[in-house]
Amino acid sequence: MIILAATPIGNLGDASARLVEVLSAATVVAAEDTRVAQRLLAGLGIENRPRLIPLHEHNERERAGELVELARDTDLVVLSDAGMPTVSDPGFPLVEAAAAAGVGVTIIPGPSAVLSALAVSGLPTDRFTFEGFLPRKQGERTAALRALAAEPRTMVFFDSPNRLADSLADLAAVFGADRRAVVCRELTKLFEEVRRGTLAELAEWAAPGVRGEIVVVVAGAPARDADPEAALAQVLALVADGMRLKDAAAEVAEATGLGKRDLYQAALASRR
């Protein structure tokens, strides 16, 4: 089968006993960077020397079929450079192909920069969305942020230290300067830093330059005072466009904070 193996995002002490056990017995490892994989084996004191196959963003779709067939006969361990394979790292096309081919996929749970940053942020964790890296170009980045401006859930982003100041400035411009946010830098490493503030404050802090691995956590949009009549009209408009009433009520309820059942019943009553 295919074994997705989470690896430390900084501190080697976070490697699980199961990860060490599996790597000690592995015969084939698909790694985002084979040099990083070799350093991991050495750092964990593993003497095993499995066959290392490069699996990165430039070749993973081409190699997925070959690796799935390989995994029919032997366990294939999949490593990203740090954290969980498939989450903003190579691995998804491989898992997708394995699922389609009926090849088993299992996981060695472990470190995740997304969940680590969310947990230490102090922002709501009951509902959140992971947005990965924002676009490099400002126009595309601004458009992506505008689509998220009304998102009520806590949002988690990855970012490059070279683009962090620009990203935070754009976040402040689109979401509002006073929206709460947290920048997590070098999580689990020697110079770990968790910087909390408003988007405007964080943009100013990052302007001189920041180093390290970056995760940004941003509070969701505050609840709006929804107009029930306008929301009902929106439900009816969606239904007129062909959406099922139940789905239309759920979509508008999610966007406005109004009760799904209330909108559903109001729409039914309007038809009578």
Side-chain angles (χ1 to χ4, degrees), residues 97-160:
V103 171
V105 180
T106 190
I107 192 165
I108 301 177
S112 164
V114 176
L115 294 180
S116 298
L118 181 68
V120 303
S121 69
L123 296 176
T125 60
D126 54 337
R127 299 177 68 230
F128 70 94
T129 174
F130 174 56
E131 298 297 332
F133 285 92
L134 287 167
R136 294 171 180 267
K137 296 181 179 179
Q138 184 178 27
E140 295 175 1
R141 187 166 59 239
T142 300
L145 292 175
R146 283 175 179 158
L148 293 170
E151 171 58 63
R153 296 169 293 183
T154 301
M155 291 162 278
V156 183
F157 301 89
F158 285 166
D159 210 344
S160 158

Side-chain angles (χ1 to χ4, degrees), residues 41-103:
L41 293 171
L44 295 176
I46 296 172
E47 296 181 357
N48 180 36
R49 291 296 177 264
R51 174 189 173 196
L52 297 176
I53 301 174
L55 182 70
H56 45 73
E57 62 178 335
H58 302 297
N59 75 350
E60 58 180 332
R61 291 205 174 272
E62 291 75 16
R63 301 210 75 164
E66 166 197 346
L67 293 177
V68 165
E69 292 307 310
L70 178 63
R72 290 188 187 276
D73 301 317
T74 188
D75 287 341
L76 173 67
V77 181
V78 179
L79 303 177
S80 61
D81 286 350
M84 180 59 64
T86 78
V87 181
S88 267
D89 275 324
F92 170 68
L94 178 62
V95 174
E96 184 181 38
V103 171

Side-chain angles (χ1 to χ4, degrees), residues 28 138 210:
V28 186
Q138 184 178 27
V210 177

Side-chain angles (χ1 to χ4, degrees), residues 112-263:
S112 164
V114 176
L115 294 180
S116 298
L118 181 68
V120 303
S121 69
L123 296 176
T125 60
D126 54 337
R127 299 177 68 230
F128 70 94
T129 174
F130 174 56
E131 298 297 332
F133 285 92
L134 287 167
R136 294 171 180 267
K137 296 181 179 179
Q138 184 178 27
E140 295 175 1
R141 187 166 59 239
T142 300
L145 292 175
R146 283 175 179 158
L148 293 170
E151 171 58 63
R153 296 169 293 183
T154 301
M155 291 162 278
V156 183
F157 301 89
F158 285 166
D159 210 344
S160 158
N162 297 326
R163 296 193 299 272
L164 178 63
D166 290 339
S167 296
L168 288 170
D170 289 342
L171 278 160
V174 176
F175 287 5
D178 294 331
R179 181 84 69 94
R180 290 185 302 148
V182 180
V183 174
C184 300
R185 189 179 69 84
E186 294 289 88
L187 285 172
T188 79
K189 299 177 185 176
L190 180 62
F191 297 106
E192 174 179 296
E193 181 177 17
V194 178
R195 176 76 59 160
R196 301 179 177 88
T198 65
L199 285 169
E201 291 168 343
L202 292 172
E204 182 178 0
W205 162 77
V210 177
R211 293 182 179 180
E213 300 288 334
I214 304 293
V215 185
V216 181
V217 187
V218 183
R224 297 173 304 210
D225 294 329
D227 180 349
E229 291 186 3
L232 174 59
Q234 190 175 353
V235 170
L236 295 175
L238 290 172
V239 171
D241 286 339
M243 184 178 289
R244 291 194 313 162
L245 175 56
K246 181 179 179 181
D247 295 335
E251 180 173 315
V252 176
E254 175 73 19
T256 62
L258 294 173
K260 178 173 64 177
R261 180 178 176 81
D262 293 338
L263 288 170

